[in-house]
Amino acid sequence: MSWWVWAVLMLAIAAMLAIDLFLHRDNHLIGFREAAVWSGVWIAAGLLFGVILWVWQGGDVAGTYYAGYLIEKALSIDNVFVFALIFSYFAVPAAVQHKVLFWGVIGALMFRLVFIFVGAELLETFFWTAYVFGAFLIYTGYKMAFRHDEQTPPDRNPVVRLVRRVIPTDANYHDDKFFTRVNGRRVATLLLVVLIAVETTDLIFAIDSVAAILAITTSTFIVWAANAFAILGLRSLYFCLAGLLRRFVHLHYGLAVLLAFAGVKLILSETPIGKLPIPVTLGVIVATITVSIVWSLRSTRGTDGPPGGDPAAPSATGAPQPPRIPARSSANHRGRTR
């Protein structure tokens, strides 16, 4: 794509972020209705961009974009699980959670932009990286499916621990401030620690999320657009799904299938079989997401959580304590927050 096409997309994303920040500058508590409306706005924007691509570049390009958008949107639900865990663990006041998520989205966009260009360049330059990325995605899918109960306290995140050692930190919240003064000394607040926990866990998310979309296409513009439009609605998605998280007890199986499918697809692209058709990819993504969500909701029908036990009680912050954290989100390595 020409540089001006990239510039238009970047300006559009920046404008949407600015509008979102302006409308939520008063740190009010975001309810389900407002979150649902904003989720609808972000989803409509993502779908509309696909329509523009369809008219401008044709159905194949639009189909590729929609496949990447759907897989990233599905994986973003995994992010929501971990955000709920972090907010509950640190007892983040509900009124300032949206500010943490806003800056978390900014960081997520930056991480993904870097990984997209690096990953795409590696796949285009060294064919064997497709096997490496593919094996990584299959392994991540396995971890998510069979080791989803592993959890690591967010404060054991090595980056969070390093920040607390290097930067003087007050163990309290001071409204929505990341820094404040205590006894005349400038210190970081607990809210900054929470933001760093969110950013570092999302850094891990970015690796397999970007790898999964690169299995569909190595067009940096399409991959970035799909990531950006899916991530833009992450904050609204959190507040929209916060009360339903405990019912998504089987969602990790669907996400595991998607990651493994992306890994197999990436490996096959470097064999005589070649890349799978976009309609097949879209069909697998839609079917997998639908089955895992319907299965989860039917299994927990009439309850507030997983069958066979009491649902986790909501914390004082308003964020739920999810009963299960997928392995991609909890810990792939001992002592490491995922």
Side-chain angles (χ1 to χ4, degrees):
M1 294 294 177
S2 302
W3 68 267
W4 63 269
V5 179
W6 277 94
V8 170
L9 177 61
M10 294 296 190
L11 288 174
I13 293 172
M16 288 186 284
L17 286 171
I19 293 173
D20 190 22
L21 180 62
F22 176 78
L23 293 177
H24 296 92
R25 66 190 184 281
D26 57 349
N27 290 334
H28 65 277
L29 182 63
I30 298 179
F32 174 80
R33 182 176 180 179
E34 180 182 357
V37 170
W38 271 101
S39 292
V41 169
W42 294 123
I43 291 174
L47 296 178
L48 178 60
F49 185 78
V51 173
I52 294 173
L53 284 177
W54 195 301
V55 175
W56 177 33
Q57 294 288 323
D60 288 343
V61 174
T64 301
Y65 163 79
Y66 279 128
Y69 175 78
L70 284 175
I71 198 169
E72 179 63 32
K73 201 68 175 176
L75 291 173
S76 67
I77 299 177
D78 191 21
N79 299 44
V80 172
F81 272 93
V82 177
F83 295 161
L85 173 67
I86 292 174
F87 288 161
S88 295
Y89 187 90
F90 286 106
V92 182
V96 298
Q97 290 177 6
H98 72 90
K99 181 173 183 178
V100 175
L101 291 177
F102 176 84
W103 291 108
V105 167
I106 298 293
L109 290 172
M110 294 174 60
F111 290 146
R112 281 161 172 75
L113 188 61
V114 173
F115 290 154
I116 286 168
F117 277 96
V118 173
E121 185 64 26
L122 286 174
L123 288 172
E124 291 289 346
T125 306
F126 306 105
F127 77 93
W128 50 265
T129 55
Y131 302 120
V132 176
F133 286 178
F136 168 74
L137 287 171
I138 293 172
Y139 177 70
T140 304
Y142 162 78
K143 297 278 284 187
M144 180 177 291
F146 299 106
R147 302 183 65 178
H148 54 84
D149 288 327
E150 293 183 2
Q151 297 185 29
T152 301
D155 64 347
R156 290 182 60 187
N157 183 309
V159 178
V160 172
R161 297 171 69 178
L162 177 63
V163 169
R164 281 181 157 174
R165 290 180 180 179
V166 175
I167 302 177
T169 304
D170 186 72
N172 299 297
Y173 294 106
H174 296 264
D175 297 324
D176 65 339
K177 297 178 181 178
F178 292 120
F179 291 92
T180 189
R181 288 191 176 276
V182 176
N183 298 325
R185 185 186 184 191
R186 185 173 176 82
V187 297
T189 69
L190 189 57
L191 195 65
L192 180 66
V193 176
V194 175
L195 176 61
I196 292 172
V198 168
E199 294 284 18
T200 51
T201 52
D202 189 78
L203 177 62
I204 306 301
F205 293 149
I207 297 174
D208 47 16
S209 294
V210 170
I213 299 184
L214 287 173
I216 300 172
T217 178
T218 54
S219 169
T220 52
F221 182 81
I222 298 299
V223 175
W224 164 245
N227 265 271
F229 280 104
I231 293 299
L232 283 173
L234 185 58
R235 182 169 73 165
S236 298
L237 183 67
Y238 169 81
F239 291 105
C240 192
L241 296 182
L244 295 174
L245 287 180
R246 289 168 293 172
R247 295 194 61 188
F248 291 159
V249 293
H250 301 309
L251 181 64
H252 60 282
Y253 290 121
L255 299 180
V257 170
L258 288 181
L259 289 173
F261 171 72
V264 171
K265 188 176 187 298
L266 194 56
I267 292 173
L268 290 178
S269 67
E270 294 296 336
T271 68
I273 296 176
K275 291 187 177 181
L276 297 179
I278 291 300
V280 173
T281 301
L282 276 171
V284 171
I285 293 172
V286 172
T288 303
I289 296 172
T290 302
V291 169
S292 58
I293 290 179
V294 171
W295 181 23
S296 296
L297 295 180
R298 287 180 63 87
S299 297
T300 58
R301 185 168 50 189
T303 69
D304 292 324
D310 294 331
S315 69
T317 67
Q321 298 177 8
R324 293 181 176 181
I325 303 297
R328 171 175 173 266
S329 313
S330 54
N332 263 3
H333 302 287
R334 297 289 181 184
R336 184 177 186 180
T337 298
R338 295 299 301 266

